[in-house]
Structures are given as C-alpha cells and as structure tokens.
Amino acid sequence: MQKIINFFRGSVLYTVTGAFPERFLNLCAQNAVPFWGLEWLDDHTLRLCFARKDAKKARTLAEKVMCEAKAARRVGVPFFLAKFRRRYAFLAGLALAVAAVCVLSRFILTIEVTGNRAVSTAVILSELNRQGVRVGAYGPSIDEKVVSQEALLRIPALSWMAVNLHGTRAEVIVREKVPKPDIVDRTVPSHVVSAATGIITHMEVLEGQPLFQEGDTVLAGEILISGVIDVPEPQYADTDLGTRITHAMGNVWARTWRTLEARIPLEAQVKRYTGEEVTRYSLGILDRRLNFYGNSGISLDKYDKITSSHSLTLPGGRVMPLVLRVERYRGYATEPVALDAEAARTLLEERLLERLDGLVGEDGEVLRTDFTVREENGILVVTLLAECREQIGRVVEFEGQVGHILPGAGT
C-alpha cells in the first residue's frame, strides 16, 4: 500500500557521497525528513529515497554536512505529468478523457434482459424505452422500482421484474406468469353443435341430451347434444316436469368429406439485378445516428435494401452502444418467367394437405385424398377431395341459467 502512495505523490532516489554520510542521516532524523530504502554502496557512499516534497530539503541538509546528493532516479505521477506541462493540447485531452470517463460512467451503455422465454426481449426493451430506460439514459435519474411496476402493468405476461443499475450496465430480470389451465365453466348453458357435415360413427355423451345416434347424417350447424334436457315423467303419472338446462359436453366422431381448392398463376414476375448499387454508411452512438452521406434520395427505380450492422464488442462479450451500419441498395428489374407446371402442382398439393391437417385437427384422421388439376386463363387450379374421420362436436353457449326451468318449457 505504501508503494502505491509513494507512486502517486512521487519520490526521488538520491546517491549521497561524502566523508561522513552518517552525519547526513542524523541531520535528516533531527529535521523530521523521512526516507526509506537505505543502501550503503561503500564507506563514503549511500543510496536512499525521499518523498518529492522533501527532496529539495534533503539536498540542502546534505550540503550542510559537506556531502553531495545527486538524484539518480525520479519516479511517480507528478514527474510523469511534469513532462507534459508545456504540451497544453495533451493536458487538455487528458482532462477531457478523465471528465468523459467520470460523466459517461453515469449513463447507461448496455441493457441486459434475462429470465424471459415466451415474452420477447424486444417487447421488454420497447416498454423500458417508453419508461425512459434506454441506451444513453442518465442512470441516477431512473427510479428502478417505479419503472418495474409500470412495466409489469403494461406487460400482462410478466409476473415480476427487477431493474438493477451497475454503473453503465442495466440488468433487467423478469419472471413470466404461469398460464392458467383451461377450466370448463359448467355454470354456462351450452349445446354441442356440428362443425361439419358428415355421418356419425361414434358418440361420447358426457352431459346433455343426444339428438342423433351413430349412423345418422348431420349437417354443419345442427345441435348434436342438446343442453336442454327433457325430464322424464314418473311411471303412472301425467305430470309435465319440464326441462333442465345444463352445460352439454361430449365428443362426436364422424366421417366427413371436404373440398379444398388452391390457385397459382403459371407466369410470375421475377427479379433480375441490373448491377447498379448504392452503399451508405452510418454510425450509431448511444441513441444517436451519424450519417456519412447527404440527404439525396436513391436514384434507383426498384431496389432491394440490405442492412448489416457491426457492433463494438469487448473481449468479455459485452456489446457497446457503438454500431457501424452499412446499407446497400441493389437495383433490379422484373421480367415474366413461366413456372414449371409440375412444380407448381406439387406446391399447391402440399399447401392443401397442410390446410386439411389444420381443419381435421391432431385427433382427426385423413382416410383418402384425390386431387384434380385444371388450367383457367393461365392460372393452375388444384382441387382436393378428402374423406376424413374427425371430431365434429363444438361447444356453443347460449343464454340461460343452468338448473330446472318451468314445466312445459320447450327446447
């Protein structure tokens, strides 16, 4: 620790020569002039160090005892800065550099977000930017607690957030909400309605009154399982007990036939690059942008814009807010090109099968498919005829209250 202090205050290494150099040591002790690193070179010569502020006084004391003190080495910050006392530009630059370090250390240069999975980092950063937490923001002016609370109110998918400032780095830690499980509200009356036309192959009635049975043909929109149940009359009684409203539930499997159609032109406009290019450079510093080009527009009629960014990254992987952006504009012209009819047909068939899988669902099954192809006015038309086995029951709610209603009420 003492070595560090001596380095900052400066020290001088003296070589003292005389008939009685020990008298010089006694005189330094009497005058409270501290020294260290004493080394005897011979009977009349010694070497020792003094603080910069005591160096001149030590030389005067040496002269009093008929000794010669020569400075062998001067070390420390004061002597280093003294070399530049006439170099005013350097001193000004050094002062500005120190001031810049002191000032910039109070601003946010990087923002790190951790703990998010479903919520994208871009959404979180966008909300933080709205709250004033952005690259280039003044750190001491940010209230981390208030920012966290406001961001949680505006991002419902998050359950917790903490914003911590570590010098020029803002650390944002989030926790996402656990999604609620799907809960069936059985207090709301409902029917099970057919989503497609087909022939019923199997029924699983969990609640409600079935209006069809296996083997029946149903149309899309018809009620399969009613939420209005007729209460049977007691034996040997002639009393109408009315109906009971319930939340109908169940699965109804049926054979269905679906027809899907897709179209694509047999001639398409494709790009052909002309070789004309315009390149622009810009530099992003904090949240400012410095353009190295004028305000002139792009002279190309049609072009593709390709942007590449190169960020300054420190050895530890920390990305700094200094980005070089290169924007390249490539001119092109369009020309008609005939498509391969077989390739177009294959593409449409694949898309139709994807649509069919989405309609049938994960539990459904495609039993048979047939494709027909025709051409109309330069457009290729592919039609898919499919036989499927799928669950066609869909729950549809209606107004009312679950429970008994007045006798004689109909469905």
Side-chain angles (χ1 to χ4, degrees), residues 152-281:
L152 287 177
L153 293 177
R154 296 183 175 275
I155 307 179
L158 298 181
S159 62
W160 180 81
M161 173 184 287
V163 178
N164 304 314
L165 299 180
H166 306 284
T168 61
R169 180 172 64 92
E171 179 188 34
V172 182
I173 307 173
V174 300
R175 295 293 181 268
E176 298 177 348
K177 289 183 179 179
V178 177
K180 296 181 179 179
D182 295 333
I183 300 177
V184 178
D185 187 1
R186 299 190 179 185
T187 63
V188 179
S190 65
H191 300 301
V192 176
V193 178
S194 174
T197 300
I199 300 175
I200 298 176
T201 59
H202 180 67
M203 295 187 69
E204 296 176 355
V205 181
L206 304 178
E207 182 68 28
Q209 180 173 324
L211 302 183
F212 293 90
Q213 59 185 357
E214 296 179 3
D216 290 346
T217 300
V218 295
L219 301 177
E222 287 189 309
I223 298 176
L224 304 176
I225 304 175
S226 176
V228 181
I229 304 175
D230 293 329
V231 179
E233 300 175 355
Q235 190 176 10
Y236 307 114
D238 193 19
T239 303
D240 185 1
L241 299 181
T243 57
R244 178 170 61 90
I245 297 179
T246 187
H247 181 89
M249 296 185 298
N251 296 318
V252 181
W253 295 86
R255 288 174 59 196
T256 60
W257 289 264
R258 293 185 178 272
T259 302
L260 304 177
E261 189 175 88
R263 298 167 176 260
I264 188 174
L266 291 175
E267 185 178 89
Q269 298 290 326
V270 298
K271 297 179 181 178
R272 180 180 55 81
Y273 290 103
T274 61
E276 298 178 288
E277 288 191 8
V278 176
T279 303
R280 289 181 169 183
Y281 298 91

Side-chain angles (χ1 to χ4, degrees), residues 15-35:
T15 300
V16 181
T17 305
F20 303 101
E22 61 272 11
R23 293 181 180 179
F24 170 68
L25 299 178
N26 294 334
L27 196 58
C28 288
Q30 292 173 6
N31 288 271
V33 178
F35 59 86

